[in-house]
Amino acid sequence: MHVSHDPAAPESKKIGFDAFLAVDIRVGTVVAAEPFPQARKPAIKLVIDFGPVIGRKRSSAQITEHYTPETLVGRQVAAVVNFPPRQIGKFLSEVLTLGFADAAGAVVLFAPDQPVPDGSRLF
């Protein structure tokens, strides 16, 4: 599946509300972050705490243009938590951390503008 990062890309085809509900997007707090130099594209390995129900999950995120591991710890982020895990080299990425492309194509993380409980679901 290819997702366009181009703001001029045409709108995606219409889906039913049930399809939206099938995508489980939650907020969590980054509790650990470290460089991932072995990745093909520059990335950061994250450990995100999604609260007591989902727990801590790992993610590889290509967010090195705007973020460093030190600036990510303690930050809330949004992620899809119900995709199958993806093996990236020797690292198993368990969730897809969400962001938008800026004008240059670099990822800007998607997060709530007020603190919310870890594990909260997007609706």
Side-chain angles (χ1 to χ4, degrees):
M1 173 176 85
H2 175 72
V3 177
S4 176
H5 298 119
D6 180 1
E11 182 179 4
S12 297
K13 71 176 187 158
K14 302 291 184 213
I15 62 170
F17 191 67
D18 287 346
F20 169 74
L21 291 177
V23 180
D24 193 353
I25 300 172
R26 305 281 181 128
V27 70
T29 298
V30 176
V31 295
E34 63 182 68
F36 190 9
Q38 301 85 0
R40 273 188 287 129
K41 294 182 180 176
I44 297 175
K45 292 186 215 179
L46 304 173
V47 177
I48 306 166
D49 186 351
F50 292 98
V53 174
I54 296 173
R56 291 181 174 194
K57 300 289 182 182
R58 300 175 346 144
S59 181
S60 171
Q62 295 172 3
I63 55 175
T64 58
E65 290 293 320
H66 294 298
Y67 307 97
T68 63
E70 302 77 37
T71 62
L72 290 164
V73 174
R75 178 188 180 97
Q76 285 194 305
V77 296
V80 176
V81 299
N82 66 332
F83 283 152
R86 245 180 105 183
Q87 192 72 42
I88 303 171
K90 294 183 178 184
F91 184 78
L92 186 65
S93 187
E94 300 172 294
V95 299
L96 175 65
T97 304
L98 300 175
F100 294 98
D102 67 10
V107 177
V108 175
L109 290 169
F110 179 61
D113 66 355
Q114 302 278 329
V116 296
D118 287 336
S120 294
R121 185 170 181 171
L122 180 74
F123 62 91

